[in-house]
Amino acid sequence: MPTLQDPLMIVTDLDGSLLDHHTYSWEPAQPWLERLNEEGIPVVICSSKTAAEILPLQRLLGIISSPYIAENGAVVHWEEFNGSVDRAANKGYTEICQTLQKLRDRLGFKFIGFADVTEKEVAEWTGLTPHNAALAKMREGSESLIWRDSAARFDDFSEALAAEELTLVQGGRFWSVMNRGAGKGAALDLLLRHYTHPVGHKWLTIGLGDGPNDGPMLDKVDYAVIIKGYSKTPVTLQREGRDVEERVFHSTHFGPEGWSEGLSHFITQG
Ligand SMILES: [Mg+2]
């Protein structure tokens, strides 16, 4: 089991994981956050939230200099880098919205995206304050949407997006449309390839998440915490091997309580 002296990196989802699903509080995780901060261990937020939402949260959480992954993996940021998984081939936010509009005009799909509504409506959907809803609308690499058509039409939509080199990722509350190949797992891959440990050690990663969109990220980390959540779709991991049972932990508590429970399970404190 890892100790605080190991070259640890914590990679965490926000909603329903580090933040309470209903109140957005992280109080039960505060002692662990302080401990990690004291030890200089990066806490990488890996969330469906935008960079504009993550930055003030990082300050509140006291994890300012850590990298982050925003918009379900469509955006990756660390000190020397800000961008997406394969920038050259990628559509930016404006282009993604234009493609969505084109598909809607041509094929008549019924959905409603953040670009289609005001911050007031986003606030009503999410329970965010109007200010925070405005931050949620400041998107760079993915569009969030609510599907308002049949399941059969959803399959057609998914195919039409694939033909445009786009893909759908299911988040906690919304679907995200982003470039094909993007996602939390691909974003973490990129980060681990380029963001080096201060003295060159190989990062020992612990990932924490509660939703199906966290699966690809939890498959990439050395130790995975699946936090008890409210999602109807369970988190399924692809990882295999003899040590899966030792390296995957299911919390008994929800949200930040489960988050702390997971870290206490894996990290031996000396
Ligand atoms: Mg979540």
Side-chain angles (χ1 to χ4, degrees):
M1 290 291 198
T3 71
L4 288 168
Q5 282 66 53
D6 284 316
L8 283 176
M9 176 193 282
I10 311 300
V11 186
T12 181
D13 173 50
L14 285 177
D15 290 350
S17 298
L18 181 53
L19 306 182
D20 184 273
H21 180 76
H22 303 288
T23 66
Y24 296 112
S25 157
W26 62 85
E27 212 188 320
Q30 190 64 36
W32 258 118
L33 285 173
E34 280 167 20
R35 196 77 213 270
L36 296 169
N37 194 26
E38 276 164 24
E39 302 288 340
I41 294 168
V43 177
V44 177
I45 289 173
C46 181
S47 167
S48 61
K49 286 189 185 299
T50 63
E53 291 174 283
I54 289 173
L55 289 169
L57 266 169
Q58 277 193 319
R59 280 193 290 276
L60 291 169
L61 293 160
I63 50 172
I64 303 157
S65 58
S66 294
Y68 61 79
I69 294 167
E71 297 186 36
N72 270 326
V75 173
V76 187
H77 175 92
W78 65 90
E79 236 160 74
E80 303 84 17
F81 180 86
N82 185 33
S84 53
V85 171
D86 178 10
R87 203 161 196 177
N90 274 357
K91 288 184 169 70
Y93 182 59
T94 310
E95 259 184 291
I96 290 173
C97 291
Q98 282 165 352
T99 305
L100 285 170
Q101 187 58 46
K102 184 181 79 182
L103 295 179
R104 181 155 49 190
D105 291 344
R106 278 197 200 151
L107 302 164
F109 295 120
K110 295 192 194 77
F111 59 82
I112 185 156
F114 276 28
D116 303 320
V117 297
T118 62
E119 61 198 52
K120 192 165 163 274
E121 278 164 289
V122 172
E124 277 161 18
W125 290 344
T126 53
L128 293 170
T129 63
H131 171 76
N132 286 340
L135 299 181
K137 274 173 78 31
M138 293 173 68
R139 314 195 65 80
E140 296 170 68
S142 70
E143 174 63 325
S144 277
L145 58 83
I146 298 175
W147 184 246
R148 293 206 166 146
D149 216 328
S150 67
R153 291 289 283 158
F154 188 81
D155 293 341
D156 297 341
F157 181 54
S158 185
E159 257 177 52
L161 288 174
E164 299 281 352
E165 315 255 321
L166 294 173
T167 190
L168 278 158
V169 174
Q170 186 172 20
R173 290 176 165 90
F174 305 99
W175 288 95
S176 290
V177 176
M178 63 181 75
N179 289 281
R180 190 173 63 188
K184 288 188 173 187
L188 179 58
D189 255 350
L190 180 80
L191 182 67
L192 290 174
R193 261 185 286 132
H194 297 282
Y195 180 74
T196 47
H197 184 272
V199 291
H201 292 303
K202 187 180 177 297
W203 292 109
L204 191 62
T205 50
I206 302 179
L208 307 99
D210 73 317
N213 62 329
D214 297 312
M217 175 269 278
L218 294 174
D219 272 326
K220 295 247 147 58
V221 291
D222 296 302
Y223 296 90
V225 179
I226 298 178
I227 295 173
K228 188 177 180 183
Y230 301 95
S231 171
K232 278 167 269 166
T233 324
V235 184
T236 46
L237 300 189
Q238 309 293 320
R239 57 197 297 158
E240 286 171 1
R242 274 174 304 172
D243 60 353
V244 165
E245 270 174 43
E246 286 159 43
R247 287 179 175 247
V248 179
F249 175 72
H250 292 257
S251 80
T252 59
H253 293 101
F254 290 99
E257 254 188 305
W259 195 90
S260 297
E261 184 192 346
L263 289 190
S264 300
H265 173 80
F266 280 130
I267 303 175
T268 310
Q269 295 189 75

